[in-house]
Amino acid sequence: MSGRVASGDAAASISPESLTPKRVVTELDRYIVGQGEAKRAVAIAIRNRWRRQQLSEEMRQEVAPKNILMIGPTGVGKTEIARRLAKMTGAPFIKIEATKYTEVGYYGRDVESMIRELVENAIGLVRESERKKVEEEAKVRTNERLVDLLCPRPRATNVGSMPASLLEGESLDADQTVEGRIEDEQKSYDRTRAKIKAMLLAGELEQRKVEITVESKSKPMVLGGAGLENMDIDLQGMFEKMMPKSTSQRELTVSEARTYLFEQECENLLDPEAINGQAIELAENLGMIFLDEVDKIVATEGKNADVSRQGVQRDLLPIVEGTTVQTRYGYVRTDHILFIAAGAFHRAQPSELMPELQGRFPIRVELRDLTRDDFVRILKEPRNSLTRQYESLLKTEGVELVFEDDAILELASYAFKVNQSTQNIGARRLYTILERLLEELSFEAPEMKMGRVPINAAYVKQRLDEVAEDEDLSQFIL
């Protein structure tokens, strides 16, 4: 599919042709520190998707995506790389945990449900894109409907409704009299309508009350039980069509009515069938599925769960190899969906996966543990770094937070030290450390209004030393 659906991220404005591997790595570097090998692998995979689109139809069908297996501990950037990549390309993307699936016949979700989720995600992207195309027309229609509500059309005048006194004399004169009166009324109405429309567009009638007909949506039916979530029939949609629509009259301000009517007009201008078709094509050609915790579905000796774990691998294999999945919107082929699997593989090895499944992830990249220098870069370099986030949050309270360089070094040292002495959770350790560091300041900020507040190494030590030194405390608090 050559078209690209825009995403909400600024990087999504990049055209597919200009998304070269170097450009992709550069964009990822703005948010993620290090892990160059993983970034290169995904960048090449994305470029190969564009290259495939340039091939002839016959050759295009033969080129399969090179799925990627990321190996590394938690908190080193596996999920973030895939998520940023999806935003950058505007591709349908879902992140799922392999552990929530079970073999068909066991209690839990079957693996085909991930394709249905991907299609739902694609429909959301296509709807957003198509909606932007019809917004201008919807605004025009909304304003016309508001003018109709503010200035209702007069009832049509006809000869039968005229008083008998006006119809005395020659019929021709009577007809001319009626036509003249209708014409005068129409001219008067047009003048009034033009004035009302001008006032509406000028924003002078926003608080005027109008009465509109509101359609009440039926309450969604919650269907429980194993297997029901995977039914391809849209039961909710069927019940909505069967049940009579409930309408009511509501008095709203013009401002409130505009929002409601605008949504109605947008819906009327959208073509659901066309959106579904585009979404399926988008999911088939550009869809990305991030399959996390794959190491947890490796069978281990002496455990009863092995049967289900091995079964999940068997069920996952045809999806990754390429099959056709039935959804409520149509059939979806998985041949060209890009799968990025990830796992820590502490207790199991990738070689313990089924050989057939291993072969479907030809690109393997190992993400390394974060060092102290990595933590320093994570706190300083990314445009969405935690330090910038806290500075922006507290600025809303009139507090100008400033992290000095020695404080950054100290924070990085604490994060590295606690990760080494307790459970290694990677960059996520910075969340807990910064929350602990700024807890008192965040609590007092609304009353303080003290302007510039420098955070230095001494303040970091004062807030964190006691907790970090006590391994039992740091295990639970940091």
Side-chain angles (χ1 to χ4, degrees):
M1 184 177 179
S2 59
R4 181 174 59 85
V5 176
S7 180
D9 196 84
S13 60
I14 304 172
S15 64
E17 295 84 357
S18 63
L19 270 177
T20 61
K22 285 185 179 179
R23 181 75 182 275
V24 171
V25 171
T26 301
E27 290 293 330
L28 290 175
D29 282 342
R30 295 165 66 187
Y31 299 96
I32 303 155
V33 168
Q35 313 302 359
E37 188 181 349
K39 290 174 183 175
R40 285 170 64 92
V42 296
I44 293 169
I46 290 300
R47 189 62 178 179
N48 280 338
R49 305 187 105 188
W50 177 83
R51 290 166 179 160
R52 175 178 168 268
Q53 301 301 324
Q54 315 311 310
L55 303 176
S56 64
E57 183 64 30
E58 182 180 356
M59 181 59 72
R60 193 184 304 170
Q61 297 304 318
E62 299 299 324
V63 178
K66 305 302 183 288
N67 297 321
I68 301 168
L69 177 61
M70 292 184 182
I71 304 164
T74 183
V76 297
K78 301 187 296 292
T79 306
E80 189 66 8
I81 287 174
R83 191 170 66 86
R84 291 290 174 187
L85 201 65
K87 285 189 174 184
M88 191 189 309
T89 58
F93 171 80
I94 59 166
K95 175 187 178 292
I96 51 161
E97 308 289 333
T99 50
K100 75 178 180 181
Y101 297 103
T102 62
E103 185 181 5
V104 174
Y106 289 79
Y107 182 82
R109 306 185 66 182
D110 75 87
V111 293
E112 287 189 354
S113 63
M114 72 175 72
I115 305 301
R116 301 185 185 101
E117 289 180 36
L118 185 69
V119 173
E120 294 284 356
N121 185 277
I123 286 175
L125 289 174
V126 175
R127 279 183 67 86
E128 183 183 348
S129 176
E130 293 299 308
R131 181 188 167 98
K132 287 178 180 176
K133 295 177 183 177
V134 303
E135 279 183 352
E136 288 304 316
E137 176 65 22
K139 286 178 183 176
V140 173
R141 292 190 179 193
T142 300
N143 284 332
E144 289 299 321
R145 288 182 63 181
L146 285 171
V147 173
D148 288 339
L149 292 169
L150 291 164
C151 183
R153 294 182 181 276
R155 292 181 181 179
T157 307
N158 53 59
V159 176
S161 65
M162 297 295 291
S165 58
L166 290 176
L167 298 179
E168 293 177 356
E170 296 183 8
S171 60
L172 184 60
D173 293 337
D175 289 341
Q176 287 175 337
T177 303
V178 172
E179 288 174 1
R181 181 168 177 177
I182 293 174
E183 187 176 344
D184 290 342
E185 287 181 352
Q186 184 62 43
K187 287 179 180 178
S188 175
Y189 171 75
D190 289 342
R191 286 193 298 270
T192 306
R193 183 180 175 86
K195 289 179 183 177
I196 292 290
K197 187 172 184 179
M199 293 172 68
L200 179 70
L201 295 176
E204 298 173 11
L205 303 175
E206 293 301 292
Q207 299 307 312
R208 183 78 65 87
K209 296 279 189 178
V210 292
E211 193 174 80
I212 64 172
T213 304
V214 177
E215 185 177 304
S216 303
K217 291 185 178 180
S218 57
K219 293 182 180 179
M221 296 185 64
V222 180
L223 301 174
L228 281 177
E229 65 174 4
N230 301 316
M231 292 183 69
D232 299 309
I233 303 172
D234 184 5
L235 291 177
Q236 179 63 29
M238 288 175 60
F239 281 119
E240 284 182 0
K241 290 177 182 177
M242 291 167 57
M243 299 293 287
K245 292 183 179 180
S246 174
T247 59
S248 60
Q249 295 294 119
R250 287 184 61 189
E251 193 178 69
L252 304 172
T253 63
V254 167
S255 178
E256 294 168 338
R258 178 182 283 106
T259 303
Y260 181 83
L261 296 175
F262 178 72
E263 293 296 328
Q264 273 192 344
E265 292 301 330
C266 283
E267 288 298 316
N268 293 338
L269 289 167
L270 293 176
D271 182 352
E273 291 301 320
I275 288 173
N276 294 346
Q278 288 183 52
I280 288 176
E281 188 180 354
L282 189 69
E284 288 180 336
N285 290 283
L286 295 179
M288 294 171 55
I289 294 180
F290 185 79
L291 187 60
D292 205 3
E293 307 287 358
V294 290
D295 54 321
K296 303 297 193 299
I297 59 171
V298 174
T300 53
E301 294 183 7
K303 290 191 177 181
N304 295 330
D306 284 359
V307 178
S308 182
R309 290 177 181 178
Q310 197 76 13
V312 171
Q313 292 187 55
R314 281 196 301 269
D315 290 346
L316 191 60
L317 182 60
I319 302 289
V320 180
E321 282 183 333
T323 188
T324 302
V325 176
Q326 183 182 1
T327 71
R328 68 181 65 173
Y329 307 106
Y331 289 94
V332 180
R333 293 179 59 197
T334 67
D335 304 64
H336 301 291
I337 293 173
L338 177 65
F339 289 86
I340 301 176
F345 289 99
H346 290 311
R347 299 178 182 175
Q349 298 299 318
S351 57
E352 295 179 54
L353 290 165
M354 288 175 57
E356 298 88 347
L357 192 59
Q358 289 182 50
R360 289 297 165 181
F361 290 89
I363 301 175
R364 296 187 186 182
V365 289
E366 190 164 349
L367 286 82
R368 58 182 178 79
D369 284 341
L370 299 175
T371 64
R372 191 190 125 183
D373 290 341
D374 289 329
F375 282 118
V376 171
R377 293 181 61 198
I378 289 169
L379 287 168
K380 293 175 70 174
E381 294 180 12
R383 61 187 300 180
N384 63 330
S385 67
L386 282 175
T387 51
R388 288 192 176 97
Q389 291 179 31
Y390 279 104
E391 286 169 1
S392 300
L393 285 170
L394 289 177
K395 196 172 183 179
T396 62
E397 302 279 8
V399 176
E400 184 186 349
L401 203 61
V402 179
F403 287 90
E404 297 181 357
D405 287 342
D406 61 346
I408 298 288
L409 287 170
E410 204 65 40
L411 286 167
S413 298
Y414 277 113
F416 182 72
K417 177 184 175 182
V418 176
N419 269 351
Q420 294 298 309
S421 60
T422 61
Q423 186 72 34
N424 186 356
I425 60 173
R428 293 187 178 93
R429 181 70 64 190
L430 292 172
Y431 285 90
T432 54
I433 284 180
L434 277 166
E435 275 296 319
R436 178 72 179 179
L437 174 72
L438 300 172
E439 180 185 22
E440 185 177 343
L441 188 59
S442 295
F443 185 81
E444 301 288 348
E447 285 76 31
M448 288 170 62
K449 308 284 185 185
M450 56 187 297
R452 192 175 186 274
V453 178
I455 303 294
N456 53 30
Y459 183 78
V460 174
K461 288 179 180 178
Q462 177 192 338
R463 293 288 301 158
L464 300 179
D465 243 1
E466 182 183 351
V467 179
E469 290 300 324
D470 190 323
E471 287 195 10
D472 291 331
L473 275 177
S474 62
Q475 183 175 354
F476 293 104
I477 297 177
L478 297 182

